[in-house]
């Protein structure tokens, strides 16, 4: 999360630099100014541009625009080509986490967070990696930010639960019930959701790339347009749920 904050700050700073550069250049053009090296004392403190009246031998507008073109091009290149990609959490390409603390006896326990849902804030790392949690209940729990990679959550009750920004690649969620849950910006690459229930579930920004969703039920779930297109391309989106619902149709494909 700290790295995300730094990345967002860098992007905001680049945007501010671009805006300031464009404003200064356009202001210079509008006032008849040019772009050249001049003493610091000759600049206007409010705009950073030397007043038009102080410039000798003003160039005609087309010539001034030609002078500004390289600056504008450089500003645009610096902003667009050096800015980091804006990826949703569910699409983040690489993750780095500390090793599993196998000496922590109560590590594999569902614990609800009370620190906030949307940003997945917790006072410590919530690590459920490789945990055997099949058949247990986390109904109504806030599990946001949990690390669930390679875990076994077969038949687990996640009804009305909050799972924002969970990291669960290569995990087993076969038969799990996510009815009325919020599963946004989650990463489930390579996981298994055979027969899982996503009834009335919020699935915004969540990736099922390489996941097995055969016989799952997406009835009434909220899936963003872009996310839906990707889900519909999943070859395992087939079969029928335990309730006899066509899996592909339930996802709106």
């Amino acid at each position: 999360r700290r790295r995300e904050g730094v990345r967002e700050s860098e992007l905001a700073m680049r945007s501010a630099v671009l805006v300031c550069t464009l404003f200064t250049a356009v202001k210079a053009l509008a006032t008849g100014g040019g772009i050249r090296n001049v003493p610091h004392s000759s600049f206007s403190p409010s705009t950073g541009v030397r007043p038009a009246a102080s410039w000798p031998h003003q160039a005609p507008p087309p010539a001034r625009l030609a002078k500004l073109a390289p600056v504008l091009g450089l500003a645009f290149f610096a902003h667009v080509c050096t800015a980091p990609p804006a990826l949703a959490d569910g699409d983040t390409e690489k993750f780095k986490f500390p090793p599993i603390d196998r000496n922590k006896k109560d590590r594999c326990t569902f614990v609800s967070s009370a620190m906030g849902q949307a940003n997945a804030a917790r006072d410590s790392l919530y690590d459920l990696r490789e945990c055997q949690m099949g058949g247990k209940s986390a109904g109504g729990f806030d599990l946001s930010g949990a690390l669930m990679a390679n875990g076994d959550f077969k038949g687990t009750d996640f009804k009305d639960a909050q799972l924002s920004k969970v990291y669960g690649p290569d995990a087993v969620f076969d038969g799990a019930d996510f009815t009325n849950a919020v599963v946004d910006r989650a990463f489930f690459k390579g996981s298994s959701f055979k027969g899982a229930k996503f009834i009335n579930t919020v699935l915004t920004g969540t990736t099922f790339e390489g996941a097995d969703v055969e016989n799952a039920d997406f009835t009434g779930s909220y899936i963003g347009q872009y996310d839906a297109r990707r889900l519909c391309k999943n070859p395992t989106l087939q079969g029928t749920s335990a309730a006899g619902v066509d899996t592909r149709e339930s996802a709106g494909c």
Side-chain angles (χ1 to χ4, degrees):
R1 290 192 293 269
R2 182 177 300 175
R3 288 195 298 270
E4 293 173 356
V6 172
R7 184 176 62 183
E8 292 174 357
S9 297
E10 291 177 347
L11 182 56
M13 182 173 294
R14 290 194 179 101
S15 299
V17 171
L18 174 64
V19 171
C20 291
T21 303
L22 294 177
F23 175 81
T24 300
V26 172
K27 181 68 175 180
L29 178 62
T31 59
I35 296 180
R36 55 189 291 188
N37 293 326
V38 295
H40 175 74
S41 59
S42 63
F43 277 88
S44 167
S46 60
T47 64
V49 179
R50 190 177 184 183
S54 65
W55 289 103
H57 308 298
Q58 297 299 324
R64 290 200 300 272
L65 184 60
K67 290 182 179 180
L68 290 175
V71 178
L72 297 177
L74 180 60
F76 180 82
F77 177 86
H79 176 69
V80 174
C81 299
T82 64
L87 299 176
D89 296 80
D91 288 332
T92 303
E93 296 176 344
K94 296 181 180 180
F95 296 88
K96 291 184 179 180
F97 300 112
I100 298 175
D101 183 3
R102 303 186 185 280
N103 295 322
K104 189 176 181 180
K105 296 181 180 180
D106 60 345
R107 182 177 66 85
C108 294
T109 305
F110 284 129
V111 179
S112 184
S113 171
M115 296 186 66
Q117 299 177 341
N119 60 358
R122 285 181 177 271
D123 56 1
S124 61
L125 188 69
Y126 187 29
D127 194 356
L128 296 176
R129 287 175 293 177
E130 300 183 14
C131 287
Q132 303 299 308
M133 310 291 283
K136 296 186 178 181
S137 177
F141 280 30
D142 182 357
L143 306 177
S144 299
L147 306 184
M148 308 173 81
N150 303 104
D152 183 357
F153 303 93
K154 186 181 298 182
T156 299
D157 177 11
F158 291 110
K159 291 192 294 289
D160 299 297
Q162 178 83 24
L163 294 95
S164 295
K165 295 186 177 182
V166 298
Y167 178 74
D170 301 314
V172 179
F173 294 92
D174 294 349
D177 192 347
F178 295 91
T179 299
N180 297 324
V182 176
V183 190
D184 69 307
R185 297 165 293 172
F187 187 86
F188 292 128
K189 185 175 182 179
S191 293
S192 179
F193 291 90
K194 292 181 178 179
K197 297 179 182 179
F198 293 101
I199 302 173
N200 298 325
T201 306
V202 175
L203 293 169
T204 52
T206 293
T207 177
F208 290 97
E209 181 184 353
D212 190 340
V213 292
E214 185 177 2
N215 300 328
D217 189 350
F218 293 90
T219 301
S221 61
Y222 179 78
I223 309 174
Q225 184 176 8
Y226 175 69
D227 302 319
R229 287 200 298 267
R230 294 194 303 177
L231 178 60
C232 290
K233 293 180 180 179
N234 189 318
T236 67
L237 190 69
Q238 59 183 351
T240 56
S241 68
V245 177
D246 184 276
T247 295
R248 189 169 185 82
E249 290 183 3
S250 70
C253 301

